[in-house]
Amino acid sequence: RPERHAKLYHQRRARQASPAESQRYLPSFAYFRDPEALSRVLALVDEKRLPLEAVGPLLRLMFTERAARAPAWSYLKEHFPHLRETLGDMWTGNLVEASGSIPPKLRDDYVNFYAKSLGGVAKQAYARGLETLELRAEFQASTKTELVAWFQAH
């Protein structure tokens, strides 16, 4: 399915369709739930089959989707130097903040990775991402017992 959307993008781009028309399906890549489909989406990024201007928004959107968070986090860590160089510091900040949506159990990974990788860039984005992680952990810890009890009762 991701390949089909990428093919549509390239066909529309070849006939010089407007960006709104040619890039219409690209955001939908973040909503795939199947791990194999998500891997293929990230492979399309690696193969440069998606426009560079779509990569930052796609990754940021992937961090909003439960199924896509872990693959997006792994991809970001593996490709961080290249992403930072090609997307620039503004997108670096956007992705650092968005990656704060990863599961709270990955907090130490988040802290350690950015401690080694940021080099003084995106300090505020890092702080906001870390706050998101910590607030989510606090919320999950404080509501888990009540939610389990409610689901068992209903």
Side-chain angles (χ1 to χ4, degrees):
R1 198 169 181 187
E3 289 83 3
R4 186 172 143 238
H5 290 322
K7 183 178 177 183
L8 281 171
Y9 164 76
H10 288 290
Q11 287 173 345
R12 291 174 179 179
R13 182 107 180 214
R15 66 177 167 84
Q16 298 181 332
S18 70
E21 184 181 354
S22 64
Q23 296 182 17
R24 177 176 296 146
Y25 296 107
L26 297 181
S28 70
F29 288 1
Y31 297 105
F32 289 118
R33 293 184 179 177
D34 177 61
E36 180 59 33
L38 290 165
S39 293
R40 290 195 317 261
V41 166
L42 295 170
L44 291 172
V45 174
D46 280 343
E47 297 163 6
K48 297 180 177 37
R49 293 183 56 202
L50 299 181
L52 181 61
E53 65 269 14
V55 173
L58 173 65
L59 289 172
R60 180 176 58 192
L61 193 54
M62 288 179 79
F63 282 115
T64 68
E65 296 302 310
R66 181 181 298 241
R69 286 179 190 142
W73 177 239
S74 294
Y75 185 87
L76 179 76
K77 290 189 306 179
E78 185 178 331
H79 297 86
F80 191 75
H82 175 72
L83 290 168
R84 186 170 171 191
E85 180 182 320
T86 56
L87 300 178
D89 286 343
M90 184 181 92
W91 269 107
T92 297
N94 283 320
L95 294 175
V96 167
E97 183 174 354
S99 63
S101 295
I102 62 175
K105 67 182 179 184
L106 297 175
R107 181 195 181 280
D108 290 343
D109 189 30
Y110 180 91
V111 170
N112 294 330
F113 175 74
Y114 286 131
K116 291 185 288 189
S117 303
L118 284 178
V121 174
K123 291 178 182 178
Q124 290 178 332
Y126 170 76
R128 287 189 299 269
L130 185 57
E131 179 181 34
T132 298
L133 257 171
E134 291 172 347
L135 288 173
R136 177 174 283 136
E138 182 182 316
F139 173 75
Q140 288 175 352
S142 68
T143 59
K144 182 178 180 181
T145 305
E146 291 113 16
L147 284 174
V148 169
W150 185 86
F151 280 117
Q152 289 175 340
H154 294 90

